[in-house]
Structures are given as C-alpha cells and as structure tokens.
C-alpha cells in the first residue's frame, strides 16, 4: 500500500484517439482508505474516463496510478481482485434471474458457494429484491435493476468500490436505500469512489469531493475545505456553477 | 478456472434462455441442409433420369432413324416425345415448341437418310472392288440431322447429345458398310463369307468405377456431396449470432464489468468458445442423424457415415473452432450489430463460394482455384469429402483439421490484439 492511500494518482493524462484535447489532463490526487470520495463535474468533464482508467478498462496516455497499493500498469490482475465496479449502464444479463446474475458475478470474483449464498441472501434482502430473486432481470423495473446492478458490484466485499452514477433514473425510495447502504458499507472500511450529477446527494454522502472540468481538477477537499477555499457558505450546487459556468455542455 | 466455470454457466444460460435464437441455431441449419440436398438431388436426377424433355421427328423409318430413336429411348436420359398435342409434329412445330421451352431438345432426322448412306456406301464398295484407282471415292451428300436446343439447356448436355448421335450414326454406317462388303465379297469370290456384321463391332468398351482409398468402391450420391458442404456453410453462419452476442455484451456494459473482475478477455473468449463449440457439435450431430435417418423418408439416399464417425467428428470440431474463431474476431472488431451482421453474412458467403461449397474448385478459373485454398470452408470440405467420398481415414485428413485450428488461433490472436488496441487508444 502507498501509505493510507487507497488510490494515488499522479499526472494522469488521457487523450482519446483523434482528439486534440485531453479527456483527463495531468490530474494528481489521492483517495484515502475509508473515504467516500465524490468525483463531480458537468457532462464530458472526464469523470467516467477517470473511473474507467482506475478500473483498468482504459489505458492512460500518461501518468502513474496505484489502486490499493498496486500499480495499474503492472498489477492489473491484483487490482481486479480488490475492486468492485458499479457502472452507469445496467450491466446485467436480462435473460438471467437476479440470483443467476449474482452467482455469475460473485463466482467470478472468487466467492465460494456458501459465501455466495450468504451474500446473495443478505444483499437481496437489504435492497428489497428477495421476492424477485428468481425473476428474469429483463422484467425488473428500472429501480430494481439499478439496485441489483449495485449488488453485483459489492457482493464480494471489495476494498474499493467505484460507482458511476449509481442512482441515475431511480425513484426516491430506491435512491434512499442505495445511499443508506453505501454509507453502511463504508462504515466497514470500504473506500468508495463515486460520480454523480446529483450534487445534493454527493454533498450528503461524500466525505471528500473533487470537482473536475475539462479534464482538470478545479476544486477538492471536504465540503468545508471547498467552502473555505471559495470563501462562501453556499450550497455545493452554487459553488459548482460558479466554478464550471452556466454554459450548456455536450 | 472458477471464473471460466462461471462464465460458461452464464453463456450457457444466455443461449438456452433465448428460445427463438436457439431454435434458429438448430432448425435453420437443418432446414438448409435438407432443402439444399433435396434440390441438388432433384437436379441430379433431372439430368440422369428422364428429366429432360426431348421431341423427335423421325422421317427416316429405316436403320439410321430407328437406331437413333431406339438409342435415345433406351438411354433413359430423356423423356422422349413423338407428338405435340397428340399430332405428329412438323419441323416448324418442333422449332416453335423448343423455342417456347416446352421441350429442351428437338431432333429431326431427314427422310431417306439411311437410303442415302446405303447408296453411297454401295457405290464406294463397288469402286473399291473395281480396282480402278484413278476414280476417287465419291463424297456422299451430307445428311444433316437437325438438333433444336433450348438456349437454357446446358452446353455440356448439348455436347453429350451431339456425341451420342454421332456415335449412333457411325454405328449404322459401319453396319451398312459391312453388309455391302459381305454382299460384294460373296458376289465376286468362290468361297462365300458370313455376314461381316456378325463381327462384334464394339471391341473396345469401358467400365466406370468410382475408386476410393483402400481399394474400396464408393458410389457417390447427392447426400454424400451435399451434407458436408451445407453443414459447413451452416456451421460458419454461427459467426452472426456469436458476433452479435459479443457486441450486445459490450454495448450493455456487461463485458466492461467482467473486465473489471478477476477474469481476462481470453477467459471470456474461452468460455464462449466452449459453449458455442457445444452448439456447433450438436448442430453437426443433428444434421448427421437427419442425414442417416430422416433423409430416406424424403426419398433421399441415407448418409453413409459408418466407419467414419471419428474422422467426421474431428473435422467437425476443427470446422466449429474455425467458425467460432472467425466469430470472435468479427465480434471484437465490429462496432455495431449492423456491421457484424452484414460483414459476417457476406464474408461467410464469399468464403463458401471460393471454398467450393457451390461450385467445385476444379471448374473454377485458375485465380479462384488458387484463392480457394485460403478458405477454411475449403479445408473443411476437402476433409469431409475425403472421408465420405474417398474413404479416407482421420490420419489422411488431419492436416485439414490442423489448418482450421490454426485459422481459429490466428483469429483469436487478432481479436486479443484488437482488444488491447481498443483499451490503449480508445
């Protein structure tokens, strides 16, 4: 491990093929163990690119990254064993039941049969899906899919959990149960890296925040740090608009 | 290993839950093989068994006309007619009927054709025995037998018919020559001779034997030829659902999620290879069973696989690996379902065409004959033909299997390389 840093990023840069402008531009930051770290920014700011790089889905153009103390460019296989990822998309197999989806994902993450059974029972119960466990996911409502998508990422108790817009498009009840349980998971030591457009949700959930725009970090720290740095008592949304402007983004 | 087990479980469930897709994976290839074999079998019969309508107007009731007519009828090659609408036709009526496509061939034998031959032969024989070498042998007026041919009739059939008629005419002419010689000899010499026509005319005959390895005789039929060809074709069409499944997994984020877990792209591919290999082998088993047991119910010959099952299974396994490998590369490189579906279907048709599925390689133009050796369908087809038609054993065809497995590995390497590029440069 690199000190107490769950994630250490130095000069991380990413250019997409054919683009002159970097999607991520020499970003350096640390996420400490046990933090709930919010990565915020307007559309196209570079949040998802950063998450995809940290998960090993994209190779960075430059910079160094360690996740859980393992270098991304050398120990990607070790990193995959300690992380959990909840992507923005509903990354589930619609013709498989909830149970079968979790057996597949949990099994791939190395859970043994009894661990799988226990974990699946527990999390389906926590997220109110136990009655639908034998139903094909394609027949689930949007909120149910979103909750199951979350379970698939945290079933194996990862050290570090990446969440890319986990509450997008869900009702208030589903959102509430997701947020409550993320806080609960965090209490047991899981580091959470979280991106969202819901700033109020981020303000309540995250212990630390970074605002990213055009591939650069433009503010970071706790909510109080950010307020102090900008000498304001305003809400996060107001600070965000002040920093990123009111122009529409693609 | 645990990851691969779970991936296989997932891929297996994904396939069996899509009942429509599953039915298509098995029923469509079976339907394709059955339909294509039946069609080819009928074409085969059409050419060989009285399938071609022929009208004959014989104006020469003597030897030549009778011989040609009898040979045509007894050849069982044609469906021979002597009348149109119950009436003896005129030459013009025959031309019109052939032009209208009612008959593929019309034959008109001119009147007194035999008599003309006889007269000329008689003159020539008399001349030969006169001892007067100054006089040249007379050239007979040509006797023209008219063949009216539907333009849709194949050239090969036309040539074959011309050859046959020439042979019948020669035979009649020889017979007349020998008769005239006999008569002339008996007139001029003290010691009479029996009719020279008693000498067996056909001293040279031929016998047709389909030879195969191990001194075995194999009688080829449309089933032995078509089942391997269309089974291979159907097997390669698995590229489309395979590539689509890969793209769907990529588009809905499941692939990305899998790649953040302790499993590599290679293990994801190995799982798919195993599951689709099972599908392909089941396809092969069902088509083989259909060929053996169901075809006879449709009036087709049964597929003879006895003694060849090991070789056929190994070839099918190698062909399935080649098809799946190709599917992996298409599924990895194509960005959308449309790209994959269009490219995969057209490329499989092209590979089949140059591989000899539709047209035998030996009748292709030289350039295509060279290209055909690069088609995995050609390797598979050669392997299957060698086993089924030429009585080859596994050891004789294993090199074709190795080519197909190497092709599969090459496709897999291309897919892995492209996946790596996509991760780095996307």
């Amino acid at each position: 491990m690199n000190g107490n840093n769950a994630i250490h990023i130095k000069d991380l840069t990413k250019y997409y093929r054919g683009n002159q402008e970097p999607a991520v531009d020499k970003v350096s930051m640390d996420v400490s163990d046990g933090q709930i770290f919010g990565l915020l920014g307007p559309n196209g700011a570079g949040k998802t690119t950063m998450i995809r790089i940290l998960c090993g889905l994209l190779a960075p153009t430059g910079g160094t990254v360690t996740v859980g103390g393992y270098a991304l460019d050398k120990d990607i296989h070790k990193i995959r064993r300690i992380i959990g990822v909840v992507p923005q998309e509903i990354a589930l197999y619609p013709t498989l039941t909830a149970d079968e989806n979790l057996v597949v994902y949990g099994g791939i993450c190395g859970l043994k049969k009894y661990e799988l059974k226990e974990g699946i029972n527990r999390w389906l119960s926590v997220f109110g899906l136990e009655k639908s466990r034998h139903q094909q996911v394609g027949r689930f409502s949007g909120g149910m899919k979103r909750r199951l998508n979350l379970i698939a990422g945290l079933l194996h108790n990862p050290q570090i959990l990446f969440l890319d817009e986990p509450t997008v498009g869900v009702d208030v009840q589903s959102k509430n149960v997701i947020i409550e349980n993320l806080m609960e998971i965090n209490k047991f030591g899981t580091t959470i890296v979280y991106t969202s457009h819901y700033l109020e949700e981020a303000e309540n959930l995250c212990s630390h925040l970074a605002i990213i725009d055009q591939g650069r970090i433009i503010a970071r720290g706790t909510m109080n740090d950010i307020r102090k740095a900008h000498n304001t008592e305003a809400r996060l949304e107001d600070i965000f608009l002040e920093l990123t402007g009111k122009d529409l983004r693609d | 290993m645990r990851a691969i087990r779970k991936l296989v479980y997932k891929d297996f469930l994904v396939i069996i839950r899509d009942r429509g897709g599953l039915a298509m994976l098995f029923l469509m290839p079976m339907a394709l093989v059955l339909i294509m074999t039946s069609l080819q079998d009928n074409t085969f019969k059409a050419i060989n068994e009285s399938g071609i309508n022929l009208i004959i107007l014989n104006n020469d009731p003597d030897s030549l006309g009778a011989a040609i007519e009898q040979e045509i009828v007894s050849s069982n090659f044609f469906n021979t007619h002597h009348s149109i609408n119950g009436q003896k036709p005129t030459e013009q009526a025959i031309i019109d009927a052939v032009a209208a496509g009612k008959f593929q061939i019309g034959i008109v034998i001119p009147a007194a054709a035999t008599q003309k031959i006889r007269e000329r032969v008689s003159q020539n024989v008399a001349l030969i025995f006169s001892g007067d070498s100054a006089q040249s042998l007379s050239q007979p007026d040509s006797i023209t037998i008219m063949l009216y041919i539907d333009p849709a009739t194949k050239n090969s059939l036309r040539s074959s018919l011309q050859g046959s008629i020439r042979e019948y005419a020669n035979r009649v002419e020889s017979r007349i020559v020998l008769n005239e010689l006999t008569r002339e000899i008996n007139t001029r010499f003290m010691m009479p001779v029996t009719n020279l026509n008693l000498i067996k005319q056909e001293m040279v005959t031929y016998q047709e034997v389909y030879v195969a390895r191990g001194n075995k005789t194999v009688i080829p039929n449309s089933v032995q030829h078509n089942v391997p060809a269309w089974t291979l074709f159907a097997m390669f069409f698995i590229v489309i659902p395979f590539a689509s499944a890969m793209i769907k997994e990529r588009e809905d984020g499941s692939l990305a999620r899998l790649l953040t877990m302790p499993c590599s792209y290679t293990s994801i591919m190995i799982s798919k290879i195993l599951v689709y290999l099972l599908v392909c082998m089941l396809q092969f088993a069902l088509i083989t069973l259909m060929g053996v047991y169901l075809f006879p119910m449709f009036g087709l010959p049964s597929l003879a696989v006895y003694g060849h099952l090991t070789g056929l299974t190994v070839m099918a396994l190698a062909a399935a690996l080649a098809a799946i490998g190709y599917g992996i590369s298409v599924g990895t490189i194509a960005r959308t379902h449309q790209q994959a579906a269009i490219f995969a279907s057209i490329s499989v048709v092209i590979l089949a065409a140059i591989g000899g599925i539709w047209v035998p390689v030996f009748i292709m133009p030289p350039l295509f004959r060279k290209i055909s050796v690069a088609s995995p369908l050609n390797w598979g087809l050669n392997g299957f033909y060698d086993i089924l038609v030429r009585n080859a054993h596994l050891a004789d065809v294993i090199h074709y299997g190795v080519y197909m497995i190497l092709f599969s590995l090459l496709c897999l390497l291309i897919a892995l390389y492209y996946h790596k590029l996509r991760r780095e440069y996307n």
Side-chain angles (χ1 to χ4, degrees):
Chain A
M1 296 283 285
N2 190 357
N4 287 329
N5 286 338
I7 298 168
H8 172 72
I9 300 171
K10 187 162 172 29
D11 294 333
L12 179 65
T13 305
K14 176 70 185 175
Y15 283 88
Y16 283 112
R17 191 174 51 179
N19 279 10
Q20 296 297 318
E21 297 298 316
V24 178
D25 190 6
K26 290 192 175 172
V27 167
S28 296
M29 65 175 211
D30 293 322
V31 177
S32 301
D33 277 340
Q35 276 184 356
I36 301 184
F37 189 92
L39 195 57
L40 311 175
N43 287 339
K47 305 183 297 288
T48 300
T49 301
M50 276 190 67
I51 295 270
R52 287 174 72 83
I53 291 172
L54 295 176
C55 301
L57 290 172
L58 279 179
T61 313
T64 54
V65 176
T66 60
V67 177
Y70 299 115
L72 188 70
D73 56 346
K74 289 177 187 152
D75 293 320
I76 184 67
H77 299 292
K78 288 177 182 163
I79 291 173
R80 282 174 179 162
R81 292 186 184 284
I82 60 163
I83 64 169
V85 179
V86 180
Q88 209 175 109
E89 305 90 3
I90 304 293
L92 300 165
Y93 293 94
T95 54
L96 270 59
T97 66
D99 243 13
E100 288 163 347
N101 266 288
L102 295 178
V103 165
V104 168
Y105 285 129
I108 291 170
C109 290
L111 292 182
K112 295 187 175 76
K113 204 171 177 181
Y114 71 92
E115 291 171 324
L116 263 176
K117 193 177 171 189
E118 196 183 293
I120 290 171
N121 287 341
R122 178 179 158 224
W123 288 113
L124 286 178
S125 168
V126 165
F127 283 98
L129 293 170
E130 70 272 41
K131 284 181 187 165
S132 312
R133 63 189 302 165
H134 298 303
Q135 203 177 319
Q136 288 189 6
V137 171
R139 294 179 191 151
F140 277 22
S141 70
M144 289 164 81
K145 283 180 188 166
R146 197 50 80 178
R147 280 179 271 154
L148 188 65
N149 201 33
L150 180 62
I151 298 174
L154 54 79
L155 184 64
H156 59 293
N157 297 319
Q159 276 182 40
I160 302 164
L161 180 61
F162 294 97
L163 301 150
D164 194 3
E165 314 249 10
T167 57
V168 72
V170 299
D171 60 20
V172 177
Q173 285 81 3
S174 287
K175 191 182 288 186
N176 191 45
V177 78
I178 288 171
I179 297 299
E180 275 182 6
N181 280 288
L182 287 177
M183 289 170 133
E184 193 66 26
I185 294 160
N186 177 247
K187 279 183 194 166
F188 289 94
T190 302
T191 305
I192 295 175
V193 178
Y194 162 95
T195 76
S196 181
H197 285 297
Y198 302 122
L199 299 182
E200 197 181 327
E201 183 184 294
E203 192 174 346
N204 293 332
L205 178 67
C206 301
S207 56
H208 289 74
L209 296 163
I211 298 175
I212 183 169
D213 194 19
Q214 292 174 339
R216 293 194 199 104
I217 302 263
I218 52 174
R220 82 175 91 186
T222 63
M223 193 58 223
N224 281 337
D225 293 339
I226 291 172
R227 282 197 181 109
K228 270 185 200 167
H230 295 86
N231 203 15
T232 174
E233 284 301 310
R235 295 174 310 149
L236 178 59
E237 190 169 327
D238 296 325
I239 299 169
F240 184 88
L241 281 173
E242 192 190 316
L243 290 170
T244 60
K246 291 184 177 176
D247 292 343
L248 292 174
R249 305 298 180 92
D250 295 329
Chain B
M1 202 58 205
R2 178 193 291 269
I4 290 181
R5 274 210 315 270
K6 291 296 172 193
L7 288 165
V8 167
Y9 170 68
K10 177 263 296 177
D11 285 323
F12 181 71
L13 286 178
V14 167
I15 279 197
I16 61 165
R17 291 282 159 78
D18 180 9
R19 297 214 175 126
L22 198 63
M24 276 192 268
L25 275 178
F26 290 107
L27 295 179
M28 294 305 280
M30 288 172 75
L32 174 78
V33 173
L34 180 63
I35 290 168
M36 295 310 291
T37 307
S38 299
L39 287 174
Q40 298 276 8
D41 192 58
N42 279 340
T43 312
F44 186 77
K45 281 179 183 164
I47 293 171
N48 289 283
E49 296 170 17
S50 305
I52 296 164
N53 284 323
L54 178 145
I55 175 100
I56 185 163
L57 173 59
N58 182 7
N59 292 321
D60 176 36
D62 208 337
S63 305
L64 180 66
I68 289 175
E69 202 174 324
Q70 191 200 331
E71 295 282 356
I72 283 172
V73 172
S74 63
S75 73
N76 281 333
F77 218 72
F78 306 102
N79 196 6
T80 313
H81 299 259
H82 296 89
S83 62
I84 299 174
N85 300 327
Q87 304 258 316
K88 188 180 176 185
T90 60
E91 188 164 355
Q92 188 56 47
I94 286 179
I95 293 170
D96 294 342
V98 172
K102 285 181 187 167
F103 301 97
Q104 279 74 57
I105 295 165
I107 299 179
V108 178
I109 303 169
T114 313
Q115 187 54 36
K116 279 186 191 166
I117 296 173
R118 200 173 281 135
E119 282 167 9
R120 290 296 164 202
V121 168
S122 179
Q123 283 173 21
N124 288 339
V125 169
L127 191 66
I128 289 165
F129 280 92
S130 70
D132 183 1
S133 58
Q135 288 189 52
S136 61
L137 296 177
S138 66
Q139 293 301 315
D141 295 337
S142 60
I143 297 158
T144 309
I145 296 171
M146 295 302 298
L147 294 184
Y148 297 105
I149 295 168
D150 179 359
T153 307
K154 284 186 176 177
N155 278 345
S156 55
L157 182 70
R158 196 189 61 204
S159 311
S160 156
L161 186 69
Q162 280 175 350
S164 299
I165 288 177
R166 195 171 298 125
E167 187 190 331
Y168 309 148
N170 284 342
R171 213 178 289 169
V172 169
E173 206 174 319
S174 312
R175 218 174 289 150
I176 293 170
V177 168
L178 288 171
N179 279 338
E180 280 303 310
L181 279 172
T182 309
R183 196 180 56 75
E184 200 65 33
I185 290 169
N186 286 341
T187 319
R188 291 174 184 266
F189 297 100
M190 296 292 287
M191 189 175 282
V193 294
T194 16
N195 191 334
L196 292 173
N197 257 322
L198 292 176
I199 297 168
K200 193 172 183 288
Q201 289 185 20
E202 289 177 9
M203 288 189 185
V204 179
T205 60
Y206 63 89
Q207 192 181 354
E208 208 172 68
V209 177
Y210 292 105
V211 290
R213 291 167 202 245
N215 284 333
K216 282 204 171 182
T217 302
V218 176
I219 306 296
N221 59 46
S222 59
V223 169
Q224 306 291 88
H225 272 101
N226 283 290
V227 170
W230 298 110
T231 304
L232 268 173
F233 188 56
M235 228 179 223
F236 265 78
F237 258 91
I238 208 159
V239 170
I240 300 168
F242 187 92
S244 284
M246 284 181 65
I247 291 167
K248 186 172 182 297
E249 206 168 37
R250 199 167 68 216
E251 282 181 348
D252 69 16
S254 312
L255 178 67
R257 169 170 258 164
L258 288 174
L259 290 171
T260 65
M261 294 180 164
C263 68
S264 61
Y265 194 67
T266 310
S267 52
I268 294 168
M269 292 305 107
I270 288 172
S271 156
K272 290 196 188 303
I273 290 171
L274 292 174
V275 172
Y276 277 83
L277 201 56
L278 181 69
V279 170
C280 285
M281 292 313 286
L282 278 173
Q283 277 182 342
F284 173 74
L286 284 172
I287 293 171
T288 305
L289 286 172
M290 183 174 76
V292 175
Y293 297 108
L294 195 68
F295 277 15
M297 294 179 195
F298 287 86
L300 294 164
S302 177
L303 178 69
V305 293
Y306 183 73
H308 296 309
L309 273 177
T310 310
L312 290 175
T313 306
V314 172
M315 290 312 293
L317 206 66
L321 280 171
I324 293 167
Y326 190 49
I328 288 176
S329 56
V330 172
T332 302
I333 295 168
R335 289 189 173 268
T336 62
H337 287 281
Q338 285 84 354
Q339 275 183 14
I342 293 169
F343 178 79
S345 53
I346 294 176
S347 63
V348 167
V349 169
I350 291 171
L351 286 175
I354 61 170
I357 299 288
W358 292 323
V359 180
V361 172
F362 66 85
I363 61 165
M364 288 181 186
L367 176 67
F368 283 92
R369 251 180 278 163
K370 281 180 189 158
I371 295 173
S372 76
V373 295
S375 167
L377 277 97
N378 181 256
W379 307 328
L381 194 62
N382 283 338
F384 278 127
Y385 275 174
D386 280 0
I387 291 172
L388 282 174
V389 184
R390 300 186 185 109
N391 197 37
H393 294 287
L394 178 59
D396 303 318
V397 296
I398 194 67
H399 59 287
Y400 292 124
V402 171
Y403 295 162
M404 287 190 280
I405 291 168
L406 288 176
F407 173 79
S408 180
L409 286 174
L410 177 70
C411 289
L412 193 60
L413 286 175
I414 290 170
L416 291 173
Y417 181 68
Y418 195 85
H419 171 72
K420 187 169 172 276
L421 283 184
R422 186 173 275 165
R423 183 179 169 271
E424 283 174 10
Y425 297 110
N426 240 0

